[in-house]
């Protein structure tokens, strides 16, 4: 079956996207960066939406032109319905136009049944993992895992049942998270936590509930009790950006960053900028992290960035 995924992805990539003009390469703000990576959220690749194919293809070509980009991270809701055609389009364009490393986090649209993604949670989870294993060497059967880029650690969280638009985190996953944080608490480097879902009561002006549900405070306490400097990336809210600032909140040892939706207009919250096509380019230095907002689909920087002191 997996050979069919590859074949379908290859054929779709040839016919659903036509590259536009050449793209000017771009660089990090300073030359001494330790790490640079890109984060896109809520791509919502849709089986019959030609505009989304074009937007996605242009963004992938744009990201490839970055002079420094050690990882491309997709923060969940990568497809609308986890259909085979959507996954094949998503991975087909990536396979054709991007040669770097990438990681794909799961979101509610990737895992939870609807009128259009036939099958139960277990079936959809298996399809999500099958594509991941085939195209970017995702290893294992869990949606939560850890990976490293050089000396920097990334922890990925994922929902473990059909909880609708919410996230279900098991006791086992919480214990695993605590152990991972303790394992790296003396490293002296920030830990990046990647989760499609924000914590409850973090973005009260948009959605009071971040949709982690009853386990939200437990997750917050685990991170607050850690000795690590934590940068927590989430999406899910389709929250736009506010003039002169990234959507971020500092709380004790944690910085929460909400990434705007890439594949759809950002209509939640009273945001100044609601364009689709946006994501974040993150530059890590010895004493700070610079987060820059770019419209990757339109190949232009937004006049918004933020510096996080380390």
């Amino acid at each position: 079956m997996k050979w069919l995924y590859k074949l379908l992805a290859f054929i779709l990539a040839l016919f659903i996207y036509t590259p536009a003009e050449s793209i000017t390469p771009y660089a990090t703000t300073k030359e001494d960066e330790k790490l640079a990576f890109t984060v896109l959220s809520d791509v919502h690749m849709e089986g019959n939406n030609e505009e989304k194919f074009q937007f996605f293809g242009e963004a992938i070509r744009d990201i490839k032109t970055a002079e420094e980009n050690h990882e491309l991270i997709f923060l969940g809701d990568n497809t609308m319905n986890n259909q085979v055609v959507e996954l094949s389009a998503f991975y087909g364009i990536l396979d054709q136009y991007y040669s770097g490393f990438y990681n794909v986090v799961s979101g509610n649209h990737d895992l939870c049944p609807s009128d259009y993604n036939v099958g139960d949670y277990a079936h959809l989870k298996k399809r999500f993992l099958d594509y991941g294993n085939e195209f970017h060497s995702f290893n294992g059967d869990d949606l939560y895992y850890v990976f490293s880029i050089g000396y920097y650690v990334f922890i990925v969280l994922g929902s473990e049942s059909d909880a609708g638009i919410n996230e279900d985190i098991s006791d086992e996953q919480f214990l695993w998270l605590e152990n991972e944080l303790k394992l790296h608490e003396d490293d002296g480097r920030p830990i990046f936590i990647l989760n499609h879902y924000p914590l409850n009561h973090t973005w009260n002006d948009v959605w009071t509930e971040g949709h982690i549900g009853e386990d939200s405070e437990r997750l917050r306490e685990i991170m607050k009790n850690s000795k690590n400097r934590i940068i927590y990336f989430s999406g899910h809210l389709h929250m736009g950006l506010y003039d002169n600032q990234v959507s971020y909140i500092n709380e004790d040892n944690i910085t929460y960053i909400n990434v705007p939706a890439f594949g759809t207009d950002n209509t939640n919250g009273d945001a100044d900028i609601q364009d689709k096509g946006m994501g974040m380019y993150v530059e890590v230095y010895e004493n700070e992290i610079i987060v820059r907002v770019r419209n990757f689909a339109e190949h232009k920087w937004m006049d918004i960035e933020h510096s996080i002191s380390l």
Side-chain angles (χ1 to χ4, degrees), residues 33-268:
E33 89 285 337
K34 304 296 184 182
L35 172 68
F37 61 94
T38 300
V39 186
L40 300 183
S41 189
D42 297 86
V43 169
H44 287 290
M45 186 70 83
E46 196 167 7
N48 60 351
N49 194 316
E50 183 179 346
E51 181 184 28
K52 289 188 177 181
F53 299 152
Q54 287 298 123
F55 248 63
F56 186 63
E58 284 302 296
I60 296 307
R61 289 178 60 237
D62 187 283
I63 294 164
K64 187 177 179 179
T65 67
E67 293 179 5
E68 293 290 344
N69 188 62
H70 299 100
E71 194 86 13
L72 168 56
I73 293 165
F74 295 98
L75 209 53
D77 281 6
N78 312 294
T79 65
M80 280 296 291
N81 305 294
N82 200 34
Q83 294 174 343
V84 168
V85 66
E86 294 171 344
L87 286 163
S88 295
F90 178 86
Y91 282 106
I93 291 173
L94 266 175
D95 209 39
Q96 185 76 13
Y97 295 100
Y98 188 73
S99 55
F101 296 105
Y102 61 92
N103 264 273
V104 183
V105 180
S106 60
N108 52 292
H109 275 261
D110 304 308
L111 301 173
C112 298
S114 71
D115 292 338
Y116 304 102
N117 51 357
V118 179
D120 58 15
Y121 169 86
H123 178 80
L124 295 171
K125 174 185 174 182
K126 182 179 185 303
R127 182 185 295 164
F128 178 89
L129 292 174
D130 282 348
Y131 267 87
N133 281 317
E134 185 65 19
F135 283 92
H136 70 101
S137 300
F138 178 89
N139 295 313
D141 298 322
D142 292 319
L143 298 173
Y144 59 93
Y145 59 97
V146 61
F147 67 93
S148 297
I149 307 174
Y151 294 107
Y152 294 92
V153 174
F154 292 73
I155 296 175
V156 177
L157 305 181
S159 184
E160 297 178 74
S161 73
D162 176 13
I165 62 172
N166 297 308
E167 181 175 34
D168 173 29
I169 303 176
S170 68
D171 290 341
E172 180 181 8
Q173 186 174 170
F174 274 124
L175 180 60
W176 169 85
L177 174 61
E178 287 184 283
N179 289 335
E180 285 295 334
L181 290 174
K182 288 178 181 177
L183 182 64
H184 300 287
E185 65 183 7
D186 296 324
D187 289 355
R189 299 180 178 88
I191 298 286
F192 299 95
I193 295 184
L194 310 174
N195 192 12
H196 179 66
Y197 309 83
L199 274 71
N200 297 359
H201 306 292
T202 305
W203 312 102
N204 288 328
D205 292 338
V206 184
W207 283 353
T208 300
E209 293 184 4
H211 294 145
I212 295 180
E214 296 179 358
D215 291 327
S216 183
E217 286 309 307
R218 183 176 178 183
L219 177 55
R220 191 186 302 271
E221 288 303 309
I222 287 175
M223 293 191 295
K224 286 175 64 176
N225 291 333
S226 168
K227 295 179 181 178
N228 303 98
R229 182 70 173 88
I230 294 173
I231 314 297
Y232 183 100
F233 284 95
S234 63
H236 187 57
L237 300 184
H238 297 192
M239 185 173 80
L241 299 166
Y242 296 82
D243 196 19
N244 297 323
Q245 70 173 31
V246 172
S247 297
Y248 73 95
I249 292 175
N250 288 315
E251 180 184 278
D252 299 320
N253 60 318
I254 311 165
T255 296
Y256 299 99
I257 299 176
N258 194 264
V259 182
F262 171 87
T264 186
D265 290 331
N266 291 272
T267 55
N268 289 321

